[in-house]
Amino acid sequence: MAVRGRHRRYQPNRINRASLTVTAGGAGLALPLVGTGTAHAADVETWDKVAACESTDDWDINTGNGYYGGLQFTQSTWEAFGGTRYAPRADLATREEQIAVAEKVLDVQGPGAWPVCSERAGLTRGGDPPDVRPAGGAASAKTSGSVKDVQPQTTPQSRAGKARMYTVVTGDTLSGIADTHEVRGGWQRLYEANRGAIGSDPDLILPGQRLSLRGEGATAASGTTTRKQDKQQKQQQTQQKKEQKRDSKAEAKSEAKSEPKDQKRQEQKKAPQKPSSSDSGKAKTGKATTHRAVVAPVDASTGTPYHQAGSSWSKGYHTGVDFPVPTGTSVKSVAAGRVVSAGWGGSYGYQVVVRHSDGRYSQYAHLSAISVKSGQSVGVGQRLGRSGATGNVTGPHLHFEVRTGPGFGSDVDPVAYLRAGGVRI
């Protein structure tokens, strides 16, 4: 049964405590990890606050975006700082083991490894050492002197609004991605930077592939992966040729059968017919239906409806509609437009607001990650970020609003807006 998260009272001027104040879970925690220096340590409560900000306190999270665990380690950071002695990935390790690795990262890179959430959680060097001892931690752990040089740790929150990578979805093309994200050099430059991941055919990109948008070549695929992609491309090309041959044979037979009938029709109709009024009406109707394309923000049923009354909301009713979806669900722009804000929104948590050509604004709140930045043009169905439980909530969901202005208090019925655009909901 899906969790139906609800909001607390909207208070835009108060500091958000939901993502910072947590209870230090876990019982029977043992002695500090041997070899962790106290000069660069942070206590367990502070690490819990960082995790609440980074992953809504989900220490097992793996949404497929390249960041793992409660503290959102990249795989390279996890390996470089000895995390694999506990588990292959951070999301497979315990909370105590993740904190132990995080202490090493803090020692080498400082709080800047978590640039957004370290400030919100008060993470600094020189705090009390964490009272944890991960499994297998009896062996002495060496500090920064034994850690090989690695790139600074980054997290989804630190990259919110500054995404340099793009994950391919169904229907994408290189030219479309290049135009949407304003890639210098167009699709040709995008292809050259990601040839190792795409393969030999720039017209064939697969959902799930991650592409570099800034021209720094994506990590080249292994020889095995490249061979598999080439083989898959050849198979698809062969199948397409077979289908084209079958279609051409079928068309030839159809034309041969219909030729006598066509000749009779041509003899009977010497003058071209004028389009009927019904035909012109159909044409006008067709234009009207394609005037505006609208899609649902997520593929899910609705939860708390619009205008539901209750003391939980400052206006006395729910100003949007909720979609109860798990953290990490892709959130799409319901229509083409321009991003007017992307970032922290107080009680709304991380949010994106888009202005559309019809003058309406759509809001997407409580996100766990943001994929766009303010001022960016977005297309219908383009991913804006991922759902979460940031801000004043009691569970993960997407809060969706439609407004006449960019700010709180100008809401209109969001479900009616979607239905008017052809969305069945």
Side-chain angles (χ1 to χ4, degrees):
M1 180 176 179
V3 177
R4 295 177 179 259
R6 294 186 60 194
H7 312 270
R8 301 189 183 98
R9 180 181 295 275
Y10 174 65
Q11 297 169 318
N13 294 325
R14 292 182 59 188
I15 299 174
N16 172 50
R17 296 185 177 88
S19 63
L20 299 183
T21 305
V22 295
T23 303
L29 301 181
L31 298 174
L33 175 66
V34 177
T36 302
T38 59
H40 305 294
D43 57 26
V44 173
E45 183 179 0
T46 301
W47 285 119
D48 279 337
K49 291 178 181 179
V50 175
C53 175
E54 288 288 355
S55 63
T56 64
D57 210 21
D58 186 350
W59 294 88
D60 301 322
I61 190 169
N62 175 9
T63 63
N65 65 348
Y67 298 90
Y68 307 99
L71 300 174
Q72 294 289 270
F73 291 97
T74 60
Q75 186 62 22
S76 60
T77 299
W78 181 253
E79 294 173 355
F81 287 88
T84 51
R85 66 191 293 235
Y86 303 124
R89 292 193 317 266
D91 61 300
L92 303 177
T94 66
R95 167 174 166 270
E96 290 74 26
E97 291 166 347
Q98 293 180 46
I99 291 176
V101 177
E103 282 292 316
K104 297 180 182 180
V105 178
L106 179 65
D107 182 27
V108 175
Q109 298 182 2
W114 298 269
V116 175
C117 293
S118 62
E119 294 184 8
R120 297 191 180 280
L123 177 67
T124 60
R125 286 177 170 172
D128 295 330
D131 188 22
V132 297
R133 182 167 185 162
S140 176
K142 295 182 180 180
T143 54
S144 59
S146 63
V147 178
K148 64 180 181 180
D149 292 337
V150 295
Q151 293 183 350
Q153 159 80 352
T154 61
T155 67
Q157 303 295 16
S158 67
R159 294 178 58 181
K162 302 176 182 177
R164 296 183 180 181
M165 300 294 292
Y166 178 80
T167 302
V168 177
V169 298
T170 302
D172 274 341
T173 62
L174 287 182
S175 59
I177 297 170
D179 291 343
T180 300
H181 296 277
E182 299 178 353
V183 177
R184 293 183 179 180
W187 73 265
Q188 295 91 340
R189 178 70 178 275
L190 182 63
Y191 174 59
E192 289 301 323
N194 298 276
R195 183 187 290 269
I198 297 172
S200 59
D201 187 356
D203 292 327
L204 181 60
I205 55 177
L206 306 175
Q209 288 178 328
R210 287 181 57 79
L211 308 179
S212 168
L213 299 177
R214 297 292 179 88
E216 310 104 340
T219 303
S222 64
T224 302
T225 304
T226 303
R227 284 194 296 271
K228 287 182 179 179
Q229 289 179 343
D230 291 340
K231 185 177 180 180
Q232 187 176 8
Q233 290 172 359
K234 290 180 180 178
Q235 289 176 346
Q236 291 183 356
Q237 290 172 354
T238 303
Q239 183 65 23
Q240 289 175 354
K241 290 180 180 178
K242 290 181 179 178
E243 291 176 356
Q244 289 174 354
K245 288 182 179 179
R246 285 198 299 267
D247 292 341
S248 60
K249 289 180 180 178
E251 289 176 0
K253 290 180 180 179
S254 177
E255 290 175 357
K257 291 180 179 179
S258 61
E259 187 175 353
K261 294 182 180 179
D262 292 339
Q263 289 177 352
K264 290 181 180 180
R265 290 195 189 100
Q266 290 175 2
E267 292 174 358
Q268 293 173 354
K269 300 176 183 178
K270 296 181 180 179
Q273 289 184 345
K274 296 181 180 180
S276 65
S277 58
S278 61
D279 292 336
S280 61
K282 289 179 181 179
K284 291 180 180 178
T285 305
K287 290 182 179 179
T289 55
T290 58
H291 178 66
R292 185 184 70 178
V294 177
V295 298
V298 291
D299 297 326
S301 58
T302 59
T304 305
Y306 176 63
H307 246 270
Q308 176 170 311
S311 58
S312 300
W313 302 289
S314 60
K315 290 191 68 176
Y317 66 86
H318 193 217
T319 55
V321 62
D322 289 346
F323 293 88
V325 291
T327 297
T329 301
S330 182
V331 176
K332 300 170 289 187
S333 178
V334 297
R338 183 174 296 274
V339 178
V340 297
S341 66
W344 187 255
S347 295
Y348 284 120
Y350 286 103
Q351 66 167 354
V352 174
V353 178
V354 179
R355 187 184 190 280
H356 305 291
S357 58
D358 60 1
R360 291 288 191 262
Y361 294 78
S362 58
Q363 180 210 26
Y364 314 79
H366 307 308
L367 305 179
S368 62
I370 297 175
S371 305
V372 294
K373 60 184 178 181
S374 182
Q376 177 179 334
S377 295
V378 295
V380 58
Q382 180 174 335
R383 188 176 70 197
L384 304 176
R386 296 187 181 275
S387 63
T390 57
N392 286 356
V393 296
T394 59
H397 68 283
L398 171 69
H399 175 80
F400 173 70
E401 287 189 21
V402 175
R403 302 167 171 174
T404 58
F408 172 77
S410 59
D411 53 275
V412 296
D413 189 343
V415 175
Y417 180 85
L418 294 176
R419 287 173 176 167
V423 177
R424 294 184 178 181
I425 191 171

